Amino acid sequence: MRRFNIALLAALTLSTALSAAPAQAHDRTPPLGIGNCTATACHFDVPPGTYDVTVRLGGASAASTAVTGEARRSLLPETATAAGRTVTRSFTVNVRTPEGEPTGPDGTPGLDLTLGGTAPALADISVTPAHHARQIILVGDSTVCDQPGDPYSGWGQQLPQFLRKGVSVANYADSGESTVTYLENPLLWGTVQPLIHPGDLVLVQLAHNDKTTDEATYRANLETLVAGIRDKGGRPVLVTPIVRRWFNADGTLNNDIALLVNGLGVDLPGVVRSVAAAEGVTIVDLTAQTKALVESLGVEGSKAIYLYNEKKDNTHTSAHGATVYAGLVRDALVSRHLLPEDRVRVG
């Protein structure tokens, strides 16, 4: 009797499942694809998370297409296609609220992509959840953040274009923050630390706004960030700050303003280097690298890296400058074997 009941139950379950199948197929949500796009933009109603995007670019005419998304993030560099040809490219994107700076407005729900370039052409697109993506989390200030408006751009805003599918950038840099304010604000460190997963890279560049932070406090704050990242299984990377474009008469940047020695005489990049050595943390010395680059470009050539021409601003970078500096970060992560070469774009 018991065997009969089990067999009968199995038969009824199978019958119910088969009869329900057509209704489930009928109610299935349409795939996220080209139907969500116009000639210049795409919108996908997806919840916060990480998504893989595959695009097919090109068409009947010669084209040149770039893709940006969310808060002006560069996700795919401008890609040329010959007439009658298409190419397929993929990238992984982080969707969050707020979609830009953590203390800024929420932005638009879902994933928004913009098609740019000199002659954009999108033949097809697909968006799917990314299940095994590696995450790079950015902790920083206005020189790193997803800047909300032209002509400003942080290097973290340009970093995604150098990465292939399988690596996402979650940029939690925020304008005006020092190590003191970043740790104190629950929208910043209090939000970021719980998001760190084992194996995530967490890049920390905080110095520009530590103008009155004494050396002991600055050192302790960096140590707190390193310990908090490690507590979650993340891999901390300390990044010395980009230089300010402040030349001496001899064409060098060997002065306190350019090299971020603060009002108390604290050599902030020097402290970052010291903490990295003491804690056994990987360091990306952007201060040294950007100093060498800016000096090689000279007084006139370096204006395009910063916003001197537009704003007489020698601290914040243009989109071009942020892209150049993001490339330096990409190269450093690869050279230190923190990112495999097959996950980065060259050029």
Side-chain angles (χ1 to χ4, degrees):
M1 184 68 176
R2 184 170 177 270
R3 290 179 181 173
F4 173 77
N5 286 341
I6 292 174
L8 179 60
L9 178 61
L12 290 172
T13 300
L14 177 61
S15 174
T16 302
L18 291 173
S19 64
Q24 290 173 345
H26 179 74
D27 294 337
R28 187 177 299 155
T29 303
L32 300 174
I34 197 72
N36 298 83
C37 301
T38 66
T40 58
C42 303
H43 174 76
F44 302 94
D45 289 320
V46 296
T50 306
Y51 295 88
D52 290 331
V53 180
T54 298
V55 294
R56 186 159 57 87
L57 306 175
S61 302
S64 189
T65 312
V67 181
T68 59
E70 297 295 89
R72 301 178 60 242
R73 298 179 222 156
S74 294
L75 300 172
L76 190 69
E78 189 159 354
T79 303
T81 48
R85 300 281 186 175
T86 61
V87 297
T88 300
R89 297 287 186 270
S90 298
F91 54 86
T92 300
V93 59
N94 170 258
V95 177
R96 61 182 183 270
T97 303
E99 67 182 16
E101 294 181 90
T103 61
D106 284 354
T108 304
L111 170 61
D112 287 284
L113 302 175
T114 300
L115 306 174
T118 55
L122 177 66
D124 201 7
I125 185 171
S126 67
V127 176
T128 57
H131 297 295
H132 303 290
R134 188 171 186 184
Q135 184 171 230
I136 299 175
I137 297 175
L138 304 182
V139 170
D141 52 36
S142 59
T143 65
V144 184
C145 75
D146 288 348
Q147 287 281 358
D150 285 328
Y152 294 89
S153 181
W155 62 253
Q157 201 164 20
Q158 301 297 330
L159 185 60
Q161 67 178 297
F162 290 107
L163 305 173
R164 299 181 187 274
K165 177 182 174 182
V167 183
S168 71
V169 175
N171 191 350
Y172 283 87
D174 196 72
S175 293
E177 306 299 341
S178 66
T179 57
V180 176
T181 60
Y182 203 96
L183 285 166
E184 289 177 345
N185 193 333
L187 295 177
L188 299 172
W189 185 237
T191 296
V192 172
Q193 191 190 21
L195 299 176
I196 301 171
H197 299 131
D200 285 347
L201 293 179
V202 185
L203 277 58
V204 178
Q205 186 215 277
L206 287 167
H208 278 273
N209 300 299
D210 281 279
K211 299 173 183 177
T212 59
T213 308
D214 63 81
E215 182 171 345
T217 300
Y218 186 64
R219 180 181 297 273
N221 289 344
L222 292 175
E223 292 169 345
T224 296
L225 289 164
V226 167
I229 294 164
R230 285 174 165 167
D231 284 347
K232 301 294 289 186
R235 300 189 64 177
V237 178
L238 292 179
V239 183
T240 60
I242 66 170
V243 294
R244 297 190 179 104
R245 182 189 166 277
W246 202 270
F247 283 93
N248 297 325
D250 63 359
T252 66
L253 299 178
N254 295 316
N255 58 74
D256 289 356
I257 294 174
L259 299 183
L260 287 96
V261 176
N262 75 7
L264 299 180
V266 180
D267 177 0
L268 298 171
V271 177
V272 176
R273 297 182 188 109
S274 175
V275 171
E279 298 291 326
V281 175
T282 299
I283 187 168
V284 174
D285 199 340
L286 269 191
T287 305
Q289 290 182 291
T290 56
K291 176 181 184 294
L293 176 63
V294 171
E295 286 181 342
S296 71
L297 292 172
V299 173
E300 290 302 318
S302 62
K303 288 179 178 178
I305 295 288
Y306 291 83
L307 291 173
Y308 181 86
N309 294 325
E310 298 86 351
K311 301 285 184 178
K312 298 295 187 287
D313 187 332
N314 292 307
T315 298
H316 298 97
T317 49
S318 63
H320 165 66
T323 301
V324 172
Y325 287 177
L328 296 177
V329 174
R330 180 269 320 268
D331 292 345
L333 296 179
V334 172
S335 69
R336 288 156 178 76
H337 306 291
L338 295 175
L339 279 179
E341 292 186 19
D342 64 352
R343 286 290 179 266
V344 300
R345 301 182 197 279
V346 179

